């Protein structure tokens, strides 16, 4: 039988977790009360049974000990354990309230979970270290071959060569011989099945760009007879980075290459609700402050209080953005020019202060309320500058898939840009946003923006 010891991992994992749970429960009782015997009598004996039954139910429901070798990593194992513990704590809390078990010591429960987390993490880390060493010595390994030679085939081999702790040993490439690859192949397709049987190969990686469907079907059909796994390698990396998703038409998987991920309904709905509530609150509560800002702007530099300018929003749609005027009137009579920063003579003294504290951006909450902008998002630019940016950094088009914002990572980390080169540098920060955006991430960016405003570090 292949890998006869691997089947023991699951029951061992279950046993150790139950042992850790019960040891933590009893140990916490001893630490709290200094004795052990009462823990095996009601009411704590009943609670101990509930502890074990809930953990058993979680194992049956979530199947937490079934994962591929690629996910057998410390962070993944501990995160999964903590997630199970969180569910366990929630269910125990419901049980406690339902039976009105206020006679149970909360300190005992707290110590139990601390001990359980420590024991569980120690076991997982110990098992991980043991398996890595065990596999490094040549045990508990998997043998694999790659069918279809090309860049993708060498990539998967390079991955396993770089991660010997996973225990995958390479046994050769198989493909139709050509002048370029004949010296690199273990054999052609006709020799594959015999080679798998002779060398007891565990896994066959099939590279879809280099193998046709008829040969793939033969490999899959033979897998049941010869007892090996078949895994398909398809290079979606370039597409997935742009937000591709998989749809299922009955049993047929379809790769959607449009950036629908960026228009995720749940994220956008929550984000828009927050934008409306936050903007309405700022405009309502801050109206006296806005009036004061307008008066100071008018007194320090005669001319319009607000500055309106066309910017490009989501999907390339133009809109009018509003700011408190920070430059002298007619500062751009010669055409679109970026600010030269603190040395720009077009900026008024009061305007310089507003830029340092980001106060000139406050009227844009009206743009947010209208739906042209969001509170958090990449800064919108003029078409004149977008055309120049795209020539240097075509990836800027990615930012046009999300709604622009009042503040962004680029605004926090870099600030205002004085030329195209600096705009591209700021772009590197803003490109992080579409992939990482979430409600909590938006809250972090807003908090950092407030800090910059309070410290007057905007440039």
């Amino acid at each position: 039988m292949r890998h006869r010891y691997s089947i023991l991992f699951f029951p061992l994992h279950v046993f150790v977790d139950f042992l850790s749970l019960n040891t933590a429960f009893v140990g916490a009782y001893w630490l709290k009360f200094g004795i052990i015997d009462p823990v095996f009598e009601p009411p704590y004996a009943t609670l101990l049974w509930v502890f074990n039954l809930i953990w058993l139910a979680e194992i049956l429901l979530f199947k937490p000990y079934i994962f591929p070798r690629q996910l057998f990593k410390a962070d993944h194992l501990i995160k999964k354990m903590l997630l199970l513990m969180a569910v366990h704590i929630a269910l125990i809390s419901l049980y406690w309230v339902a039976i009105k078990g206020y006679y149970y010591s909360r300190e005992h429960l707290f110590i139990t979970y601390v001990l359980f987390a420590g024991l569980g993490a120690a076991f997982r880390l110990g098992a991980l270290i043991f398996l890595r060493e065990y596999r490094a010595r040549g045990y508990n390994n998997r043998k694999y071959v790659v069918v279809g030679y090309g860049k993708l085939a060498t990539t998967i081999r390079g991955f396993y060569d770089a991660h010997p702790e996973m225990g995958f040993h390479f046994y050769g490439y198989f493909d139709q011989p050509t002048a370029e690859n004949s010296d690199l192949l273990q054999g052609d397709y006709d020799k594959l099945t015999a080679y798998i049987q002779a060398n007891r190969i565990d896994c066959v990686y099939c590279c879809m760009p280099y193998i046709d469907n008829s040969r793939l079907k033969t490999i899959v059909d033979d897998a049941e007879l010869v007892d090996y796994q078949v895994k398909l390698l398809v290079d979606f990396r370039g597409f997935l980075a742009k937000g591709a998703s998989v749809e299922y038409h009955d049993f047929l998987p379809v790769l959607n290459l449009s950036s629908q991920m960026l228009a995720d309904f749940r994220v956008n709905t929550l984000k828009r609700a927050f934008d409306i509530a936050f903007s309405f609150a700022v405009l309502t509560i801050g109206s006296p402050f806005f009036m004061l800002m307008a008066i100071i702007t008018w007194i320090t530099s005669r001319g319009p209080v607000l500055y309106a300018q066309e910017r490009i929003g989501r999907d390339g749609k133009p809109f009018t953005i509003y700011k408190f005027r920070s430059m002298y009137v007619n500062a751009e009579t010669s055409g679109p020019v970026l600010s030269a920063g603190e040395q720009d003579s077009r900026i008024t003294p009061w305007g310089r202060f507003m830029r340092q504290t980001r106060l000139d951006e406050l009227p844009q909450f009206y743009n947010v309320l209208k739906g042209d902008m969001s509170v958090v998002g990449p800064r919108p630019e003029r078409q004149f500058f977008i055309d120049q940016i795209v020539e240097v950094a075509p990836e800027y088009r990615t930012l046009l898939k999300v709604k622009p914002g009042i503040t962004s990572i680029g605004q926090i980390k870099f600030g205002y840009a004085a030329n195209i080169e600096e705009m591209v540098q700021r772009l590197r920060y803003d490109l992080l946003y579409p992939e990482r955006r979430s409600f909590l991430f938006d809250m972090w960016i807003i908090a950092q923006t407030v800090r910059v405003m309070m410290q007057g570090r905007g440039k």
Side-chain angles (χ1 to χ4, degrees):
M1 181 186 295
R2 294 190 192 180
H3 318 295
R4 58 187 181 277
Y5 299 119
S6 297
I7 197 172
L8 299 177
F9 289 163
F10 176 79
L12 178 63
H13 206 158
V14 173
F15 172 76
V16 171
D17 270 357
F18 272 107
L19 180 63
S20 300
L21 180 66
N22 287 273
T23 300
F25 189 94
V26 175
Y29 192 91
W30 179 79
L31 290 173
K32 170 62 180 174
F33 301 108
I35 53 177
I36 290 181
D37 291 344
V39 78
F40 301 109
E41 300 173 359
Y44 275 91
T46 304
L47 182 60
L48 181 57
W49 273 105
V50 173
F51 257 68
N52 284 275
L53 289 173
I54 290 177
W55 191 258
L56 177 62
E58 288 189 73
I59 292 174
L60 297 175
L61 183 62
F62 297 115
K63 299 178 175 60
Y65 308 129
I66 300 175
F67 35 71
R69 292 189 177 206
Q70 291 79 359
L71 295 179
F72 199 75
K73 300 177 182 178
D75 58 340
H76 179 79
L77 295 174
I78 293 177
K79 283 179 182 177
K80 207 160 191 178
M81 181 193 69
L82 293 178
L83 177 62
L84 289 175
M85 282 186 58
V87 174
H88 196 275
I89 292 171
L91 294 176
I92 286 294
S93 300
L94 290 175
Y95 170 77
W96 189 28
V97 172
I99 67 168
K100 298 181 180 179
Y102 307 119
Y103 40 81
Y104 290 124
S105 168
R106 285 174 290 184
E107 186 178 349
H108 165 257
L109 294 175
F110 175 76
I111 297 173
T112 296
Y113 284 115
V114 170
L115 290 176
F116 183 39
L119 291 171
F123 165 69
R124 285 160 173 79
L125 292 176
L128 188 62
I129 294 171
F130 169 78
L131 276 178
R132 287 184 175 182
E133 181 64 23
Y134 190 63
R135 289 168 180 166
R137 293 175 180 270
Y139 302 104
N140 187 236
N141 288 309
R142 298 288 187 269
K143 303 174 184 178
Y144 75 97
V145 296
V146 181
V147 180
Y149 181 78
K151 184 177 180 180
L152 195 58
T154 57
T155 299
I156 189 63
R157 181 184 178 182
F159 172 78
Y160 284 127
D161 286 347
H163 296 279
E165 72 277 3
M166 292 184 182
F168 276 77
H169 285 188
F170 177 66
Y171 269 68
Y173 298 111
F174 285 83
D175 202 343
Q176 197 65 32
T178 64
E180 291 79 14
N181 66 20
S182 58
D183 295 337
L184 302 169
L185 301 181
Q186 187 68 44
D188 57 20
Y189 294 112
D190 296 333
K191 298 179 180 178
L192 178 61
T193 302
Y195 186 85
I196 291 174
Q197 290 178 309
N199 293 276
R200 303 175 65 83
I201 300 299
D202 300 290
C203 185
V204 176
Y205 281 93
C206 297
C207 299
M208 289 303 292
Y210 324 121
I211 182 173
D212 58 51
N213 288 339
S214 60
R215 295 190 184 278
L216 177 61
K217 184 178 185 303
T218 301
I219 293 172
V220 173
D221 291 341
D222 289 345
E224 297 182 4
L225 300 174
V226 185
D227 187 24
Y228 59 84
Q229 291 182 325
V230 179
K231 297 186 179 182
L232 300 184
L233 282 174
V234 184
D235 195 356
F236 290 148
R237 290 171 296 183
F239 300 125
L240 295 177
K242 298 178 181 179
S245 58
V246 178
E247 301 172 352
Y248 285 91
H249 298 181
D250 290 332
F251 61 88
L252 183 66
V254 177
L255 185 66
N256 182 1
L257 299 183
S258 60
S259 301
Q260 294 301 313
M261 181 182 68
L262 301 179
D264 180 76
F265 177 78
R266 182 176 58 84
V267 174
N268 285 339
T269 301
L270 180 60
K271 187 176 178 67
R272 182 58 184 153
F274 171 79
D275 285 344
I276 294 173
F278 192 75
S279 300
F280 183 79
V282 170
L283 293 172
T284 303
I285 299 173
S287 56
F289 180 70
F290 279 51
M291 291 296 295
L292 177 62
M293 291 276 296
I295 293 171
I296 297 175
T297 301
W298 183 77
I299 291 176
T300 55
S301 173
R302 295 302 175 91
V305 171
L306 295 178
Y307 176 67
Q309 189 180 76
E310 183 181 273
R311 297 287 177 96
I312 302 302
R314 183 177 180 177
D315 297 326
K317 296 178 181 178
F319 70 96
T320 301
I321 195 173
Y322 298 96
K323 304 171 68 173
F324 282 121
R325 182 173 54 83
S326 59
M327 291 186 176
Y328 293 104
V329 177
N330 299 324
E332 287 191 328
T333 53
S334 60
V337 180
L338 289 168
S339 170
E342 295 183 359
Q343 307 303 320
D344 197 329
S345 60
R346 299 175 301 163
I347 302 176
T348 67
W350 168 246
R352 186 167 289 107
F353 171 78
M354 287 195 296
R355 282 172 168 255
Q356 290 173 342
T357 56
R358 299 283 195 267
L359 295 176
D360 60 322
E361 312 283 1
L362 290 177
Q364 290 164 35
F365 281 104
Y366 173 68
N367 289 112
V368 175
L369 207 57
K370 285 178 58 183
D372 297 327
M373 297 176 64
S374 179
V375 175
V376 177
R379 289 295 296 164
E381 297 294 346
R382 286 174 275 182
Q383 188 66 55
F384 177 81
F385 295 115
I386 290 176
D387 293 339
Q388 299 179 61
I389 294 172
V390 169
E391 290 183 6
V392 181
E395 60 269 28
Y396 179 84
R397 294 190 182 92
T398 303
L399 297 184
L400 296 178
K401 294 297 182 181
V402 296
K403 192 176 291 186
I406 296 177
T407 186
S408 69
I409 308 176
Q411 283 290 89
I412 296 169
K413 299 292 186 180
F414 193 89
Y416 295 105
N419 51 53
I420 296 298
E421 182 180 350
E422 290 189 357
M423 294 179 84
V424 172
Q425 291 178 26
R426 185 176 65 188
L427 166 69
R428 304 304 177 193
Y429 292 105
D430 284 336
L431 282 172
L432 300 173
Y433 182 71
E435 295 181 3
R436 299 177 57 186
R437 68 177 187 150
S438 67
F439 182 74
L440 292 178
F441 191 43
D442 282 4
M443 295 302 101
W444 179 85
I445 293 175
I446 291 173
Q448 295 303 309
T449 303
V450 172
R451 181 173 59 84
V452 170
M453 293 176 66
M454 297 295 292
Q455 295 175 351
R457 294 193 298 105
K459 73 178 186 71

